[in-house]
Structure formats: structure tokens, C-alpha cells
Amino acid sequence: DQQVKQNSPSLSVQEGRISILNCDYTNSMFDYFLWYKKYPAEGPTFLISISSIKDKNEDGRFTVFLNKSAKHLSLHIVPSQPGDSAVYFCAAYNQAGTALIFGKGTTLSVSS
Amino acid sequence: DAMVIQNPRYQVTQFGKPVTLSCSQTLNHNVMYWYQQKSSQAPKLLFHYYDKDFNNEADTPDNFQSRRPNTSFCFLDIRSPGLGDAAMYLCATRPDSSYEQYFGPGTRLTVT
């Protein structure tokens, strides 16, 4: 059973528009969440994170929102650029804080 | 540049023939992880080291072993690879002071 779910396998957006990637989790004890970006033939690279004591974290064009009551987080990319085309993974630390639990990823395609 | 290096990038082995994948880091991080990622699946943690302390995930098969001879190097040994072990194997590191994990580019293992 998946504890971190990314229900949209893919998302297509036009350059300049907003990209919204969604993630749901099942374990209310998760308290730290990260987003990773992965290009083909490369390892995942860290993008942005959020602690459960916050509901928003912003870094340039990237903002992560956390809704604890709904066990939902989202990544907003504004404005989207063609170079943002990649697979985006949502991940949460387990209760012990020792292991990252990943979602299956969402493939974002930004067209110019 | 400080980084996480995985060798080889592509490995082909025969069914049942032992294989070793290697990971090295120049980041001097004390935590190292091995993940297995099958096609279109989420990366799944196999085990991790906190310094020399080895931590095995409960569902990691006995066929998978690991060694960490020093801070910089970590090895994944697959004693008798089966066809189901074909996957991307990702190594990651993390400093004690942060939640962010730094990933290598991965080794794609093919079992024939």
C-alpha cells in the first residue's frame, strides 16, 4: 500500500503558465516533506521541502503548500519553463525520520 | 564539485551471478542510502548507514547485502540476482544536520 501517492502520472503545461503537481499521503505522523526533480539518466535532485509546522514554503518560482488536515501537498511552478520538463517526485520522511518514502512521480512536460 | 558518484552507470549480469555496485561521495556526509527503483515505480529504500551503523529495511530480501568500509564508499552486493532484480539502483547521502538527501546518477542493472 502506497503511503505517498501522486495520482497524476503526467501533466502538460504551456510555457509561462502555472504547473501544479499534487501529492497525497496517508500517514498523519509524517512531518517533513520534500520534492525532487529527475531528468532522464540522472539521479533525483532536491527542489524544495516543507516541515509540517508550516503550510507554505517558497523558493523562487517554486512554492510548496501543505494541507495537513487533508494530508495533501502541492508544488506550484510559476512561470513554467521548458527546462522544467522532468519527473517530479514527492517524498516524506517516515515516522522514525530515517527513510524517505517516495511517490511514483509525475512527468511534467512544458511546451514552448 | 562535491558529489555522489555511482559506478558503473550500466551493469549487465547473468541470472545467479553475483554483482557489486559501488557508490562514493565527496560530501563527507555520515548517512548513506541505497534505493531500488523499478520502471514507473517509486524509489524504494533497501538499507541505510548512519556512520558505520547498518539499518536494513524489513522487506529487503536477504539476497541484498551492503558494505561501507569508510565514510566515502558504500557497496551494494546482490548475491544471486534474479530477473526481478533488474532495476535502477540509486545511492544517496545526507548530512546529519539536514533532511535533504543528495542522489547519485544511479546504476541501471540488467539481468539476463
Side-chain angles (χ1 to χ4, degrees):
Chain A
D1 59 334
Q2 279 186 270
Q3 298 187 67
V4 177
K5 300 177 185 178
Q6 293 178 258
N7 291 320
S8 298
S10 62
L11 175 67
S12 294
V13 172
Q14 282 191 321
E15 182 178 8
R17 307 294 289 266
I18 184 171
S19 295
I20 301 176
L21 296 101
N22 294 303
C23 177
D24 297 296
Y25 59 97
T26 57
N27 192 330
S28 59
M29 298 301 290
F30 289 163
D31 63 1
Y32 202 87
F33 304 87
L34 302 89
W35 283 93
Y36 278 83
K37 174 179 176 180
K38 185 181 184 304
Y39 292 118
E42 294 183 14
T45 54
F46 171 75
L47 199 55
I48 193 168
S49 63
I50 189 166
S51 163
S52 61
I53 63 173
K54 295 186 173 182
D55 55 16
K56 177 182 175 182
N57 188 26
E58 192 171 355
D59 183 1
R61 296 186 297 115
F62 303 91
T63 303
V64 56
F65 295 92
L66 176 62
N67 182 333
K68 283 182 63 179
S69 60
K71 298 195 192 72
H72 177 83
L73 62 157
S74 60
L75 173 68
H76 293 212
I77 306 173
V78 182
S80 301
Q81 299 173 354
D84 296 329
S85 298
V87 179
Y88 289 79
F89 289 98
C90 172
Y93 267 97
N94 64 356
Q95 286 174 244
T98 56
L100 269 181
I101 300 172
F102 282 86
K104 289 186 177 182
T106 297
T107 300
L108 174 65
S109 299
V110 181
S111 57
S112 54
Chain B
D1 285 342
M3 58 178 60
V4 181
I5 301 160
Q6 291 189 243
N7 286 307
R9 295 291 307 274
Y10 301 90
Q11 175 75 57
V12 180
T13 190
Q14 290 180 330
F15 182 95
K17 185 174 181 181
V19 65
T20 295
L21 310 181
S22 73
C23 176
S24 63
Q25 55 140 335
T26 60
L27 299 162
N28 204 35
H29 290 167
N30 56 339
V31 192
M32 291 188 80
Y33 302 84
W34 278 106
Y35 290 86
Q36 178 193 63
Q37 185 184 16
K38 296 186 177 179
S39 181
S40 301
Q41 298 294 313
K44 180 179 176 300
L45 182 66
L46 295 173
F47 23 62
H48 75 279
Y49 281 90
Y50 192 103
D51 292 320
K52 282 201 172 273
D53 291 337
F54 175 72
N55 298 273
N56 198 31
E57 292 300 297
D59 56 355
T60 298
D62 292 340
N63 197 25
F64 291 85
Q65 304 286 320
S66 184
R67 296 170 283 135
R68 190 180 185 185
N70 53 51
T71 300
S72 300
F73 286 88
C74 196
F75 299 97
L76 170 62
D77 301 307
I78 309 176
R79 294 191 297 189
S80 182
L83 297 178
D85 297 327
M88 175 72 81
Y89 290 88
L90 295 163
C91 174
T93 72
R94 177 178 69 80
D96 202 21
S97 57
S98 168
Y99 283 104
E100 179 185 340
Q101 293 187 18
Y102 296 75
F103 283 82
T107 295
R108 180 163 296 282
L109 177 68
T110 301
V111 182
T112 61

